[in-house]
Amino acid sequence: MWGSDRPFVRVTVVALALTVLVGVADGLAQSARSIVINARVGAATSLRVSESVLRVSASSGRRFSVVGMIDLEAAARTRTDGDVLLTVEALTSPDALAGGATGGHVEIDFAGAADGLESGTLSTTPQIAGRWVGSGVRRGRLTFTLRSDGDVAGGVLPLRFVLTAP
Amino acid sequence: MTGTSGAACWRAVLAGLFTLALLGGWSATPVGAQTLNLTLSSASIAFASADPDTTPQVAAPVFTVSYRVRQNGGGNWAITLLASGDLSSGLATIPISAITWTATPSPPFQGGTMSAAFAQTLASGVGNVNPEDDGFVVFRLANSWSYDTGTYTSTFTFTLSAP
């Protein structure tokens, strides 16, 4: 019985296999399209400071005291290895703060409290107050300390901050 | 002997045809029966550079997706989106998930976030869409000060399918 029906069994198995294969490949129709995305990122800088002047009160004799703390937020977009620089300069000479009968020499130092912020002495030429590499937003505080060897008449010392990036 | 083997062969052929006819009923839709048409309004999308302080999200111009589904019966259809990878400019990259989209009309269109790992659904429905219909998509790139300068690229693939 099985011997005479072997072709029947073989053809049925083949038919079953073909139907399964057709079923697997069946039914998924698709239409696809592609587009190119371009995003341009240009260089930019943004600087926010909490104050742009130092207010110095009058005093007598030698002095060493904090005369200002300025918070800042420096944002820059630049190339991967681009140098981002923050400079500060006094728009009038700190010596203009000296006065009184025994007015002497006045210097104002600054010191940074955050990664990238630096220390130095104010001048009427730009001094580096911060240095970073690459894009990002950096926050910190600069503390300004007055040193005098005589009387201080006091006054307002305007500052200029400049943030640059290639 | 010949008569016996010949009758066996005929039985085999008839059995095979019968099996095919019976099992053919399991496949509700024959291969390639649906007709799907998908066209896009442009071959590219561009995001302009912008100040992150004033423009936290950069929007690209409106993009039109035109689609048509025929011979689909009561079957489902869907349009999906898949990115080729992150936005890249040399060695610098921006995660592709920084790009999101909104789309109208909703339904059948829906918003989402781009992915290079899994196709995201842009639109879906049931049955035919005939005549052709349009969807309008606005892609937005999250802006950031942390991106390095450059021109970044990627590729998006839109796929209309009806399983």
Side-chain angles (χ1 to χ4, degrees), chain A residues 1 3-20 22-48 73-81 134-138 166, chain B residues 4 8-9 11-13 15-16 19-20 23-24 27-31 34 36-40 42-50 52-53 63 87 92 94 99 141 143-163:
Chain A
M1 182 71 164
S4 64
D5 285 338
R6 192 168 291 173
F8 163 81
V9 172
R10 272 193 233 128
V11 172
T12 305
V13 168
V14 170
L16 274 170
L18 283 172
T19 305
V20 168
V22 165
V24 166
D26 182 31
L28 182 61
Q30 284 188 342
S31 178
R33 297 286 183 272
S34 294
I35 59 170
V36 175
I37 308 301
N38 292 297
R40 195 173 74 80
V41 177
T45 58
S46 172
L47 178 65
R48 294 190 180 92
E73 179 181 281
R77 274 213 305 228
T78 182
R79 60 176 190 262
T80 304
D81 59 352
S135 300
V137 180
R138 287 90 180 193
Chain B
T4 305
C9 279
R11 280 204 302 276
V13 170
T19 306
L20 273 172
L23 294 178
S27 301
T29 310
V31 175
Q34 301 100 325
L36 307 179
N37 301 101
L38 181 69
T39 55
L40 307 178
S42 174
S44 64
I45 290 173
F47 294 98
S49 184
D53 282 347
F63 186 81
L87 290 162
I94 296 174
I99 296 180
L141 169 66
N143 208 353
S144 173
W145 284 105
S146 67
Y147 301 156
D148 291 337
T149 54
T151 299
Y152 294 75
T153 60
S154 182
T155 301
F156 290 176
T157 298
F158 294 72
T159 303
L160 171 60
S161 61

Side-chain angles (χ1 to χ4, degrees), chain B residues 50-99:
Chain B
D51 185 332
D53 282 347
T54 57
T55 310
Q57 282 199 319
V58 182
V62 177
F63 186 81
T64 303
V65 177
S66 302
Y67 62 106
R68 189 178 181 192
V69 179
R70 289 174 287 172
Q71 287 94 48
N72 193 34
N76 297 325
W77 61 266
I79 303 175
T80 58
L81 273 172
L82 183 65
S84 60
D86 288 337
L87 290 162
S88 64
S89 174
L91 295 179
T93 60
I94 296 174
I96 201 62
S97 57
I99 296 180

Side-chain angles (χ1 to χ4, degrees), chain A residues 63-122:
Chain A
R63 182 182 176 189
F64 182 84
S65 61
V66 173
V67 293
M69 288 185 287
I70 297 178
D71 294 320
L72 59 92
E73 179 181 281
R77 274 213 305 228
T78 182
R79 60 176 190 262
T80 304
D81 59 352
D83 285 328
V84 181
L85 291 179
L86 173 68
T87 61
V88 61
E89 67 179 293
L91 297 182
T92 58
S93 172
D95 271 336
L97 296 171
T102 56
H105 181 59
V106 174
E107 286 194 334
I108 298 179
D109 300 323
F110 60 87
D115 286 343
L117 289 178
E118 301 194 352
S119 302
T121 300
L122 270 184

Side-chain angles (χ1 to χ4, degrees), chain B residues 100-124:
Chain B
T100 58
W101 78 83
T102 54
T104 56
S106 177
F109 284 79
Q110 62 190 64
T113 300
M114 283 307 301
S115 169
F118 302 103
Q120 303 296 300
T121 300
L122 172 64
S124 61

